[in-house]
Amino acid sequence: MKKRILVTGGTGFIGSHTTVELQQAGYDVVIVDNLSNSNADVVDGIEAITGIRPIFEKVDCTDMPALRGVFEKYEGIQGIIHFAASKAVGESVQKPLDYYFNNTVSTINLLRLMPEFGVKGFIFSSSCTVYGQPDPENLPVTENAPRKKAESPYGNTKKIDEDIITDFCNSGAPVNAILLRYFNPIGAHPSALIGELPNGVPNNLIPYITQTAMGIRECLSVFGNDYDTPDGSCIRDFIYVVDLAKAHVAAMERILEGKNEERVEVFNVGTGKGVSVLELINTFEKCTGVKLNYKITGRRMGDIEKVWGNVDKANNVLGWRAVHSLEDSLSSAWKWQQRLRERGVM
Ligand code: UD1
């Protein structure tokens, strides 16, 4: 019998790619998503890729009765991958209570239901944002680097959720967890049947780049070229979303097979390589042949100057590694944007 996994936020960007990889690895997936930042059509895209239609329930994880109903209806859920969360840094500053409520109550509700329904494994979608700006001697940053004061309510919810999960697992609850700290996920499935589709004007770099290349946005603003980096622009660790999705499959296998060495394990999920915003723009132009209209503007409030990950632990302990190049990732993002145009989406 296939092992059944609950994927919250499964119609979102990372959740949809992870659902595909889980299905291809032989898992049965139940998606719950409130569709606040995604569309139910994504389920069609997942089915077109894998030939399997995942179960989908439009449920908000802060709604405890509805969430309990999912566990009652779909028996035998063995693991949860929890993506469902609000993630816009700027918006979180404007609406802190919405962020604290949504991101912590969802997590607490899921954890509460786990012992009751015999669910053993929890994989949490965390972020390198918990490291803030690492001290220079801590770059590339390892899992042992201190977590710093969060720059935004969004970042703080990731720290608080990490603590809630850790405290719960250490309380003797029959639950094990893996916290995956992602660096910057980019790209789209090679089929271009699923990808990143933010509502409205994108906050994140890659959708802004592909929409500018498509002529939907006039000009990309590069937020600052006076940072203490070789070319003055910020440095990030850009990880291909399909590689990132596979890290979740590896983490779920580890927990369900009882291979975890601690009740709560933490892994950085990145490439281990830092790339500047200007280098990324150059690579995009080279691998797509499209000239990008961009200008340098002032710094964006709250941006980290430079961060990239030490991913030895994920490579050696989890047995996972990022294999795709930046060129592959950017080409896939561009193919996805072109497909959206063909479909008349944007
Ligand atoms: C941040 C968080 C990440 C979180 C994500 C959610 C950090 C280090 N990262 O990512 O954990 O999951 O928000 O949204 O805290 N840029 C431009 N022009 C643009 C857009 C972005 O120059 O129009 C630059 C930014 O200044 C930054 C880089 O591109 O240097 C990446 O920005 P973005 O894609 O928004 O991601 P982060 O802010 O790194």
Side-chain angles (χ1 to χ4, degrees), residues 87 89 127-129 154 184 203-205 208 220-223 234 236 277 300 303-304 307:
K87 65 158 191 126
V89 176
S127 166
C128 69
T129 197
Y154 157 77
N184 287 58
N203 291 305
N204 296 113
L205 181 61
Y208 211 104
L220 169 76
S221 297
V222 173
F223 299 137
C234 292
R236 295 287 184 275
V277 172
R300 180 171 71 176
D303 262 338
I304 301 294
V307 64

Side-chain angles (χ1 to χ4, degrees), residues 25-222:
Y27 290 97
D28 179 34
V29 177
V30 178
I31 292 176
V32 297
D33 200 303
N34 67 2
L35 301 180
S36 60
N37 195 28
S38 61
N39 194 299
D41 296 351
V42 172
V43 178
D44 300 334
I46 294 169
E47 184 180 9
I49 295 169
T50 63
I52 305 163
R53 193 165 184 86
I55 295 163
F56 169 69
E57 294 283 344
K58 182 173 182 296
V59 163
D60 189 314
C61 295
T62 63
D63 179 348
M64 187 57 146
L67 195 57
R68 171 173 278 114
V70 172
F71 286 85
E72 284 165 351
K73 185 167 172 191
Y74 304 102
E75 287 177 3
I77 291 170
Q78 298 194 17
I80 298 172
I81 307 186
H82 181 36
F83 295 104
S86 307
K87 65 158 191 126
V89 176
E91 185 185 53
S92 78
V93 178
Q94 307 300 322
K95 301 178 181 169
L97 298 185
D98 291 356
Y99 273 66
Y100 284 114
F101 180 81
N102 189 33
N103 291 4
T104 62
V105 173
S106 297
T107 303
I108 292 169
N109 283 348
L110 289 162
L111 293 174
R112 281 212 160 122
L113 290 166
M114 288 180 75
E116 189 181 331
F117 289 90
V119 187
K120 302 253 168 336
F122 192 81
I123 313 285
F124 179 63
S125 186
S126 191
S127 166
C128 69
T129 197
V130 302
Y131 300 121
Q133 175 59 65
D135 297 333
E137 67 274 16
N138 285 338
L139 279 172
V141 69
T142 71
E143 292 82 353
N144 296 326
R147 297 186 316 166
K148 294 220 169 131
K149 186 176 179 311
E151 299 276 341
S152 67
Y154 157 77
N156 209 19
T157 66
K158 292 294 171 191
K159 284 178 68 184
I160 294 170
D161 273 337
E162 285 196 351
D163 291 342
I164 291 172
I165 295 161
T166 304
D167 289 345
F168 185 59
C169 292
N170 289 336
S171 73
V175 169
N176 289 293
I178 292 183
L179 314 177
L180 296 180
R181 292 181 180 156
Y182 317 149
F183 286 76
N184 287 58
I186 61 166
H189 194 268
S191 64
L193 289 163
I194 55 172
E196 187 173 12
L197 187 54
N199 287 337
V201 181
N203 291 305
N204 296 113
L205 181 61
I206 303 304
Y208 211 104
I209 287 180
T210 57
Q211 291 188 16
T212 305
M214 187 52 82
I216 300 165
R217 313 276 156 213
E218 203 180 322
C219 183
L220 169 76
S221 297
V222 173

